[in-house]
Amino acid sequence: MKRFSWSRFWGIAMKEFTQMRRDRLTFGMIVGIPVIQLILFGFAINSDPKHLPTALLSADNSQFARSIVSGLENSGYFHIVEHIAAQSEAEQLLAEGEVQFVVTIPENFSRKLLRGERPVLLLEADASDPAATSNALSALAVLSKTVLMRDLRGSLQQLAGAPDPIDIRIHRRYNPEGITQYNIVPGLTGVILTMTMILMTGLAMTRERERGTMESLLATPARPIEVMTGKIIPYIMVGLIQITIILLLARFLFEVPLLGNVFLLYGGVLLFIAANLMLGITFSTLARNQLQAMQMTFFFFLPSILLSGFMFPFRGMPRWAQAIGEALPLTHFLRMVRGILLKGNGLVEMLPHVWPIGLFMLAVLLLALKLYRETLD
Amino acid sequence: MTGNADLLIDVHGLNKSFGAKHVVRDLSLQVKRGEIYGFLGPNGSGKTTSIRMLCGLLRPDSGSGTCLGYDVITQTLEIKHHAGYMTQRFSLYEDLSIRENMDFVARMYGMKNRRAAVEASLEKLGLAERRDQLAGTLSGGWKQRLALAACMLHEPKLLLLDEPTAGVDPKARRDFWEELHALAASGISVLVSTHYMDEAERCHQLAYISYGTLLTRGTAHEVVAKQHLVTYLVSGADLYALAAHLKTLPGVKQVVVFGATLHVTGEDAARLNESMAALQKNGDYRVSLAEPSLEDVFIHLMDHAAEPFT
C-alpha cells in the first residue's frame, strides 16, 4: 500500500487537467498573460527615453543659438515643444510636468561667445525621476563642443580649441542629488495601494458567491449600488491606514521631502483608493470565483507597474503605450504624488491629474452597475 | 393589489430554461392566506428554480402572476421586501455571530426597531443564549433555526422555504413544523419544498412536480385518491426474493420495501386483487389490503413521469 501508485498519480493529474480546462478564464490567462504582456511590455519598455519635451527660453536669436538648439534636437534626446518668453512660464511647465527640460539661452549669448567669455547655457531638468533625465544630461556634455565646431571657423577657430566655449549649467530641479528613493518611494505608494485595494475588493463579491451567502443577500431588498459602496467603505479605511504608514516611512526612513500640502495629498490618495476599489468590485462581479478575481487583479497590476512610469520612464514608451498608460489611474497618481511631495504643487497643478482618475472611477462604476446581477440568472 | 386578495401566490404558465434545459414548464400555483403548501418532487425537478422565480431571484422566461399581490416580473423588489426566503443551503455568514447575522438582516430590510426586533426573535427561537456564537460553529439543527429566524425577522406575510429540514434530526424537524403551523394559524402563508413524506402529510395542500411539470395537486387525501391506486401490504420470509417474484405478477406496478413489509401497488385493481388472492392461497404470506400511502403515490408518479430529456 505504501508503493507509489501510477494509477492514482495519473488519476489526480487527469482530474487537474480537466478542471483547468473547464475554468475558461484561467485557461485564457495561461495563454493570455505571456502573449499579451510580453508583446505589450517588450515593445513598450525603454529605459533610454528620447524626444523628451523641452521648452526653449531664448533671448538671443543668433546663428550660434540656433545651432545649439538644432544640436539639442539632433541628439535625439531633446524635443523643443514650446518657445517661452519668461522664467515664470518655465516654472509652471516644469511643475505641471508638461516638459522635462527648459533650456535658457541668455541675452548677449553670441557676443560673449565671440569674445571668448564662455557664456552660460542654462538647462533646468525635472529630475524627480532621475532615470528619465540622466542619459539626456550626459549627451549634453559632449554636445557643446561638436555643435559649435562648424560655426567657429576662420578667425574663430581659436575659440573652438578652448577647453569649453560655453558654460553649460544644469539645474536638477526637485531632486538635485538625483536620489532614486525620491522617485521610487512615492511611486511605491501607488503600487502598493493598487495591489491591495483591487485584490481585497476583488475577492469581496466572489467570496459571497463561493460561500453561498450571495443568495441570501440577493433575496433581501439590497440595491446594487448599496452593496457595492457598502463593501468599499471598510477598504477605504484600510487604504488610508496603509498610506499613512507609507508616508511616515517615506518621511522618516527614506527622508523623502514633503513640500506640498498634506491634506491635498490625502484628498488625492482618497480618490485613487476609491478608483481602485471600484475596479476591484467590478472584477468581483465578473469573476466566478476568488481565483479568477485574483488573476484579473494581476492582469491589471502588471501594466499598472510597467506602463505608468513607475518602473520605466513614461516618456520612453512609444505613443500607443503612453496612451494605455494615460488610461491607468496609477499613472496620474504618480504624477500627482510626485508633484505634491517633490515639487510642492498645489491644487491648480494637481487638477490635470485628478480628473482622469475620477473619469476612470466613473466608467468602472457604470460598468460594475451594468454587470451586477440582481438575480441568480 | 391585483388579482384575488386571498391568494398570496397566484402565478400562471411560468417557464424557465437554463440553456437547452427546460427546468420549469408552465407552472401554475395558487397559495391561499394561512396555508402551508407542500412542494414535492425528486431532485432536479425544478422546485428550487420555481421558488427562486417566486421570490424574485430568477426572472421567468415567460408567464405571469403575482406574489403577495406584486407582479413577479416587474415588482421583484417589493416581493423581496415582504417575502421571507430560506435557502436550501445555509447562506448566512459563518464568520458572523448569530446576533450579528440577525442584525445584518434587520438592516437589509431597513427595520426601524432593529435591536428590539432582533432580541425578540432570538428569544422566541431559543437562540438568545447562543447569540455570540459564530454561525459557522452551529450544528445543522441550530443553523436551520437561525436561518428561519433570519427570514422571519422582517415579519413577512409569505415564507418560501426550500428544503428547510434537510439534514436535521427528527426532533428538530418536529419542532420546526410545530412552529410552521403556529405561523400559519397567525395568517402567514408558507410554501415549503421537502422530500419527507411525514412533512408532506402535515401540509394543507400539496403539489408534486417532476421534470419541471406539475403533475398533481390537492390535499394529501385528494392526491392519493386521484391516482386510483390499490396497495397491498405483503410480509413473509425472504422479502427480497419475494419482492422480485411479486414484480412479475400481473397487475403489479411497483413493489417497495418498507422495513419488514412490502408495499405492492398497481393501477388495475381487478388484476392486482387476483394476483394477491392467488399469492395468499399458495404461500405462507400475510397479505392485506391497505390505503396507498403518499409515498406509494409519489413513487408511482416518479416512475411514470414523462422524461423529456431523452
Side-chain angles (χ1 to χ4, degrees):
Chain A
M1 271 316 178
K2 278 187 207 155
R3 238 185 47 224
F4 183 88
S5 154
W6 284 99
S7 155
R8 284 194 291 266
F9 157 77
W10 194 239
I12 288 174
M14 287 311 288
K15 182 207 71 133
E16 290 299 322
F17 273 124
T18 310
Q19 287 179 321
M20 196 188 285
R21 212 181 56 226
R22 296 274 149 75
D23 186 355
R24 290 247 190 84
L25 187 86
T26 300
F27 199 70
M29 289 279 181
I30 291 169
V31 180
I33 287 180
V35 172
I36 298 173
Q37 308 255 16
L38 195 67
I39 291 175
L40 192 63
F41 305 136
F43 286 115
I45 291 169
N46 171 15
S47 53
D48 183 20
K50 296 199 170 166
H51 308 288
L52 298 167
T54 306
L56 179 66
L57 175 57
S58 179
D60 184 301
N61 199 20
S62 67
Q63 186 198 346
F64 298 119
R66 285 198 298 276
S67 292
I68 286 182
V69 170
S70 67
L72 285 172
E73 294 213 280
N74 286 341
S75 75
Y77 285 104
F78 303 91
H79 175 53
I80 308 286
V81 291
E82 300 240 20
H83 291 266
I84 54 175
Q87 181 60 27
S88 60
E89 282 181 71
E91 295 290 332
Q92 184 71 19
L93 287 173
L94 283 172
E96 285 173 1
E98 288 292 312
V99 296
Q100 194 84 40
F101 301 104
V102 174
V103 176
T104 306
I105 301 175
E107 275 180 87
N108 303 326
F109 179 80
S110 51
R111 195 184 314 154
K112 282 187 177 174
L113 183 71
L114 291 173
R115 286 191 197 148
E117 285 175 13
R118 299 191 67 223
V120 171
L121 179 74
L122 178 65
L123 186 96
E124 292 167 285
D126 175 353
S128 54
D129 180 4
T133 50
S134 62
N135 282 356
L137 293 182
S138 46
L140 189 67
V142 289
L143 185 81
S144 62
K145 274 194 110 143
T146 52
V147 162
L148 291 174
M149 212 60 106
R150 269 177 292 123
D151 293 326
L152 299 173
R153 251 173 279 159
S155 60
L156 298 174
Q157 196 109 43
Q158 46 154 349
L159 288 174
D164 236 336
I166 50 176
D167 178 8
I168 298 177
R169 291 205 191 141
I170 296 170
H171 286 183
R172 289 187 176 83
R173 301 288 303 272
Y174 313 124
N175 183 4
E177 289 150 87
I179 299 171
T180 9
Q181 272 87 343
Y182 283 17
N183 180 52
I184 293 294
V185 172
L188 273 175
T189 312
V191 170
I192 293 167
L193 284 176
T194 302
M195 176 82 179
T196 51
M197 294 295 101
I198 297 179
L199 195 57
M200 277 194 249
T201 41
L203 300 180
M205 211 76 89
T206 42
R207 195 163 47 223
E208 300 257 5
R209 206 163 294 143
E210 270 183 27
R211 294 188 184 171
T213 52
M214 198 67 183
E215 194 177 355
S216 269
L217 187 62
L218 287 176
T220 71
R223 313 287 300 145
I225 187 85
E226 295 159 355
V227 175
M228 281 192 248
T229 47
K231 276 182 175 287
I232 279 180
I233 291 296
Y235 298 107
I236 289 189
M237 301 305 295
V238 172
L240 288 177
I241 293 171
Q242 283 189 328
I243 187 77
T244 305
I245 294 171
I246 293 169
L247 285 177
L248 287 173
L249 288 177
R251 186 74 197 87
F252 296 107
L253 192 63
F254 295 102
E255 296 176 336
V256 175
L258 171 52
L259 299 179
N261 185 314
V262 182
F263 296 104
L264 210 55
L265 182 63
Y266 269 88
V269 167
L270 208 59
L271 179 71
F272 179 67
I273 289 174
N276 279 317
L277 292 178
M278 218 59 244
L279 183 69
I281 288 280
T282 310
F283 284 166
S284 210
T285 54
L286 272 173
R288 271 181 291 123
N289 53 50
Q290 299 197 37
L291 178 67
Q292 291 189 346
M294 216 122 86
Q295 287 171 324
M296 288 187 196
T297 305
F298 279 102
F299 200 74
F300 181 79
F301 186 57
L302 266 176
S304 282
I305 298 188
L306 298 176
L307 301 185
S308 64
F310 167 70
M311 212 103 126
F312 305 99
F314 191 82
R315 289 185 173 123
M317 302 191 301
R319 286 253 164 265
W320 57 267
Q322 290 194 14
I324 297 173
E326 291 285 356
L328 301 170
L330 184 59
T331 308
H332 299 279
F333 178 78
L334 292 183
R335 294 175 188 167
M336 186 167 77
V337 169
R338 284 173 187 165
I340 295 172
L341 288 180
L342 305 178
K343 302 180 183 177
N345 280 356
L347 189 61
V348 179
E349 291 89 357
M350 185 177 146
L351 282 177
H353 310 309
V354 169
W355 69 261
I357 301 177
L359 192 68
F360 178 89
M361 186 169 80
L362 192 70
V364 169
L365 173 69
L366 291 177
L367 183 68
L369 286 175
K370 203 173 156 57
L371 291 172
Y372 186 95
R373 280 156 299 180
E374 275 184 275
T375 62
L376 290 166
D377 284 89
Chain B
M1 298 278 274
T2 53
N4 189 335
D6 261 350
L7 290 178
L8 285 201
I9 296 177
D10 186 14
V11 292
H12 299 276
L14 293 189
N15 278 284
K16 185 72 188 175
S17 299
F18 295 115
K21 240 183 133 183
H22 200 157
V23 180
V24 174
R25 289 167 190 271
D26 297 324
L27 177 80
S28 296
L29 201 63
Q30 283 73 37
V31 176
K32 290 200 200 85
R33 189 178 301 282
E35 194 168 66
I36 299 182
Y37 202 106
F39 210 33
L40 292 108
N43 290 331
S45 57
K47 298 192 297 289
T48 299
T49 304
S50 301
I51 292 177
R52 284 176 174 171
M53 282 196 284
L54 292 173
C55 67
L57 277 179
L58 286 175
R59 174 178 285 270
D61 296 337
S62 66
S64 64
T66 60
C67 187
L68 291 153
Y70 299 108
D71 192 296
V72 290
I73 312 281
T74 58
Q75 293 178 297
T76 54
L77 196 63
E78 283 82 356
I79 294 174
K80 287 179 182 179
H81 261 290
H82 298 287
Y85 170 49
M86 181 170 161
T87 54
Q88 190 171 348
R89 189 181 143 194
F90 183 72
S91 61
L92 292 169
Y93 297 91
E94 302 214 332
D95 45 358
L96 294 186
S97 72
I98 289 178
R99 195 190 52 75
E100 287 162 343
N101 265 305
M102 295 290 279
D103 198 58
F104 174 76
V105 173
R107 284 181 196 269
M108 286 300 106
Y109 287 98
M111 294 177 65
K112 289 195 186 74
N113 50 346
R114 202 182 77 244
R115 274 163 202 277
V118 167
E119 279 309 314
S121 168
L122 291 178
E123 288 291 340
K124 196 170 146 211
L125 282 150
L127 291 162
E129 287 156 43
R130 295 168 177 258
R131 61 160 67 81
D132 292 320
Q133 192 175 338
L134 294 187
T137 64
L138 293 170
S139 68
W142 283 104
K143 275 185 180 167
Q144 174 242 27
R145 272 193 164 173
L146 171 60
L148 181 68
C151 76
M152 300 249 324
L153 193 58
H154 61 293
E155 295 172 354
K157 291 276 172 293
L158 170 69
L159 283 179
L160 300 160
L161 311 176
D162 194 2
E163 290 184 25
T165 54
V168 172
D169 69 52
K171 180 176 181 309
R173 284 209 290 138
R174 202 188 60 206
D175 295 346
F176 182 79
W177 274 87
E178 265 162 33
E179 173 74 21
L180 285 193
H181 274 280
L183 290 169
S186 70
I188 291 175
S189 304
V190 181
L191 177 70
V192 52
S193 73
T194 181
H195 283 300
Y196 297 109
M197 289 308 132
D198 59 317
E199 293 186 352
E201 279 161 2
R202 286 167 161 237
C203 295
H204 299 129
Q205 291 281 322
L206 293 176
Y208 186 88
I209 182 173
S210 177
Y211 298 112
T213 309
L214 205 150
L215 295 181
T216 185
R217 68 175 113 199
T219 63
H221 185 74
E222 285 166 359
V223 166
V224 172
K226 264 189 221 171
Q227 297 303 315
H228 305 293
L229 296 181
V230 180
T231 296
Y232 278 89
L233 305 185
V234 179
S235 58
D238 201 358
L239 273 192
Y240 296 107
L242 178 59
H245 170 64
L246 285 172
K247 278 180 190 162
T248 63
L249 296 180
V252 175
K253 270 290 168 73
Q254 71 190 34
V255 180
V256 182
V257 184
F258 282 81
T261 316
L262 298 177
H263 284 213
V264 183
T265 306
E267 291 163 303
D268 189 337
R271 296 177 73 185
L272 187 63
N273 290 341
E274 221 169 275
S275 296
M276 288 301 117
L279 184 75
Q280 199 162 18
K281 234 179 277 168
N282 299 345
D284 184 18
Y285 303 115
R286 270 185 290 132
V287 179
S288 59
L289 187 64
E291 181 79 1
S293 69
L294 261 184
E295 187 142 10
D296 296 319
V297 172
F298 288 143
I299 292 169
H300 172 78
L301 283 170
M302 220 182 293
D303 287 345
H304 291 78
E307 189 163 342
F309 303 127
T310 52

